[in-house]
Amino acid sequence: MEIIFATGNTHKAVEAQKALGDSFTLIMPKELGLTEEIPENGDTLQANAIEKAEYLWKRFGKNCFADDTGLEVDALGGAPGVYSARYAGPDKGSEANMTKLLAELEAAAKRGETSRKARFRTVVALILEGEMHLFNGVLEGEIALQRSGSEGFGYDPLFIPDGYTKTLAEISLDEKNAISHRGKAMRALAEFLRCLPKAR
Ligand code: IMP
């Protein structure tokens, strides 16, 4: 089955393809000639995932899904959350985001908030023949004192999953997929698609 995945992030596309398996062919919007940014104006992960999926459905009328992921840090009241991509500013990348996160946690520790507990949360919105379906995945863990590892992307070098002593950037993509927020949401999506009646 062909399905459009609303992302321009090749890391995400590779992760999603691995989680979904060979019976699904993921198409990235740029392969369909879409060059503009897909809008993402919501103030929740779910609203953003829905907005991105609806944008593609309206544009192409083909089965599609979008994900939105946020990092929720307890000592920061759940920040950066839905603003994870723009945490250090609209035009800043992952390095600046991680630098800001470490600085904010240091400031929080000075105020007595010493917890490093955090979680990644993913919401996936699927539009299948015009109907919306939602899937979720969560990965609990903590924020490391410093970056380690070069695998993965985003905040991976700072995130140590519960039960691990390494960051997500120090483990293989297969291992990350087996435990990750996105892996869980993608497997729920894949399970749902596999269980559809064949006639659809
Ligand atoms: P979005 O879902 O692409 O909007 O991602 C929001 C922010 O979280 C971006 O800064 C991403 O780099 C980061 N992010 C998303 N997924 C992951 C992940 O699996 N690991 C680390 N960072 C991630």
Side-chain angles (χ1 to χ4, degrees):
M1 178 198 253
E2 285 198 346
I3 189 155
I4 309 173
F5 179 23
T7 190
N9 179 337
T10 314
H11 288 282
K12 271 194 185 181
V14 171
E15 282 188 16
Q17 184 69 68
K18 278 210 168 202
L20 288 175
D22 294 341
S23 40
F24 299 97
T25 305
L26 287 193
I27 303 170
M28 286 172 78
K30 66 178 176 203
E31 296 176 67
L32 299 170
L34 195 84
T35 48
E36 71 261 29
E37 287 269 307
I38 301 174
E40 206 175 323
N41 300 310
D43 52 14
T44 63
L45 298 175
Q46 181 168 317
N48 277 339
I50 289 174
E51 184 179 6
K52 290 190 274 188
E54 282 180 338
Y55 183 85
L56 286 185
W57 174 258
K58 282 188 192 129
R59 185 75 187 254
F60 298 108
K62 284 189 196 304
N63 295 334
C64 58
F65 68 92
D67 85 312
D68 203 38
T69 295
L71 176 64
E72 301 169 352
V73 181
D74 287 356
L76 305 178
V82 70
Y83 304 108
S84 295
R86 302 159 258 169
Y87 192 38
D91 301 318
K92 299 280 167 50
S94 297
E95 275 307 314
N97 287 339
M98 287 191 287
T99 300
K100 174 160 181 187
L101 179 59
L102 289 174
E104 292 289 332
L105 275 173
E106 217 172 286
K110 285 186 185 140
R111 297 192 301 269
E113 301 270 7
T114 53
S115 165
R116 314 273 306 183
K117 230 187 142 5
R119 68 206 52 76
F120 274 115
R121 191 182 300 281
T122 292
V123 179
V124 169
L126 164 73
I127 302 185
L128 187 73
E129 289 159 29
E131 269 177 46
M132 178 75 66
H133 306 270
L134 297 171
F135 306 90
N136 294 277
V138 174
L139 175 63
E140 297 283 345
E142 61 178 31
I143 304 301
L145 293 169
Q146 58 188 31
R147 299 162 173 81
S148 303
S150 54
E151 300 295 318
F153 67 99
Y155 295 89
D156 281 348
L158 284 182
F159 191 89
I160 304 175
D162 280 355
Y164 280 69
T165 52
K166 292 175 177 179
T167 69
L168 284 175
E170 293 178 291
I171 64 176
S172 69
L173 178 54
D174 283 340
E175 204 174 352
K176 179 183 173 188
N177 257 341
I179 59 167
S180 82
H181 42 296
R182 191 170 307 98
K184 286 173 190 159
M186 290 295 169
R187 280 191 292 282
L189 165 72
E191 191 56 27
F192 172 82
L193 291 172
R194 272 188 219 108
C195 292
L196 289 175
K198 286 272 180 283
R200 283 189 82 146

